[in-house]
Structures are given as C-alpha cells and as structure tokens.
Amino acid sequence: FFFSSRRRHTILQGDWSSDVCSSDLSRGLGRTVAALREQGIEVWVLRQVPEPETNAAWNLAVGQTLGLKPRQGVSRAVYDTRNAFVDQAVRDAGIDPDHYLDLGTTFFNAEGYCRDHDSDGIYYMDDNHVSKYGVATLIAPQLRELLGRIAKNCAETQAKPAD
C-alpha cells in the first residue's frame, strides 16, 4: 500500500541515534528517498527532538521539594552538534531544506537550553521520551503546520497542467 498512486507524500522520522554510522545513514536514507521519489512520492523528514538529559518529573519534584532551581536541559549548541551527521545525511540524500522540519525548535528557552516543563505540565515522561503533554504543546502545532504545507503542495501540484 505504501507505493499506491494515491500516496504522494511521506514523512520520515526516526531515532537518528549517533550510534549509527553517518555514512551508513547517508547511504540508507539516500536509497530510501530515491525509491520513494521513483514512485513519485514527495519526501519530508523530521529532525529528532532534543533529549533534555534530565528526568523532567524528578527534576521538577526535587526542585519544588527542596526549593532548588531545576537543572537546565541540553543546550541548542549540543543538540545541533548531535544532529550534524543527520543534517549531512539529509543534504546528501538531496532533501529540500524546506522538507526538513526541526521539531526541536520549540523545546528551547530564550537562553538556548531545552525546557522539560512549563507551569501546566512536563514535556517528557523521562529523560528522552516526550509526554502526551509535550506532544500536544510542542510537537502537534508543528505537525499541523507541516500537514498544511503538504496540503498546499498537493493543491499546487494538482493545479498544474499535465505535461
């Protein structure tokens, strides 16, 4: 069903772990993207969300209980460094930069550190899994925006005269 003519877009998301060799990721992503494009499928890629390096619930509880300021999460610079090999693999695969969405942008505060909670809830269930609240608050708005872009792209494609 994946290559049916009705499916013109696909969103690729993965655990872009640094445990994967960057050349293997580049080759594998390149082959996947090429196969999808061969079928006329537009490819969109999601960058991994940041891992805050703190356990949000524990961080918040200890902070409130002991009156301590919660620990800062990972910095934007560290997040970008960790994702540099993925960014390169995406470029090597020929993914249009407009088709590469960084879901992590909304996780960072003004000082450039990953937030793990706000006054209404916690963004992570543990040290690297986003909670339902985190998805609803930080990721869902971006995905709605992405789906809107895909819908616009579909409408533009359908409006073009056939060759």
Side-chain angles (χ1 to χ4, degrees), residues 50 52-53 69 71-79 104-116 123:
E53 297 183 337
K69 183 177 179 186
R71 283 185 18 206
Q72 295 271 348
V74 68
S75 71
R76 179 67 196 221
V78 168
Y79 169 71
T105 57
T106 58
F107 282 80
F108 293 95
N109 63 20
E111 292 81 37
Y113 288 92
C114 181
R115 302 175 294 148
D116 62 10
Y123 300 138

Side-chain angles (χ1 to χ4, degrees), residues 7-124:
R7 295 184 185 269
R8 297 184 185 189
H9 298 265
T10 193
I11 300 170
L12 299 178
Q13 190 281 328
D15 179 1
W16 311 114
S17 170
S18 58
D19 296 339
V20 176
C21 175
S22 60
S23 61
D24 290 344
L25 178 61
S26 287
R27 279 193 308 275
L29 185 59
R31 283 193 309 266
T32 299
V33 168
L36 292 167
R37 286 184 174 153
E38 207 172 277
Q39 298 296 319
I41 297 171
E42 193 90 20
V43 179
W44 304 75
V45 178
L46 303 180
R47 196 178 199 211
Q48 189 165 320
V49 300
E51 295 179 354
E53 297 183 337
T54 59
N55 182 304
W58 186 87
N59 192 22
L60 189 58
V62 168
Q64 288 179 343
T65 303
L66 300 177
L68 302 172
K69 183 177 179 186
R71 283 185 18 206
Q72 295 271 348
V74 68
S75 71
R76 179 67 196 221
V78 168
Y79 169 71
D80 287 337
T81 299
R82 288 180 181 167
N83 282 282
F85 79 100
V86 179
D87 299 342
Q88 185 61 53
V90 167
R91 284 190 297 276
D92 292 348
I95 299 291
D96 183 327
D98 290 337
H99 284 63
Y100 185 38
L101 181 67
D102 184 357
L103 294 178
T105 57
T106 58
F107 282 80
F108 293 95
N109 63 20
E111 292 81 37
Y113 288 92
C114 181
R115 302 175 294 148
D116 62 10
H117 70 280
D118 65 18
S119 60
D120 294 324
I122 58 174
Y123 300 138
Y124 293 88

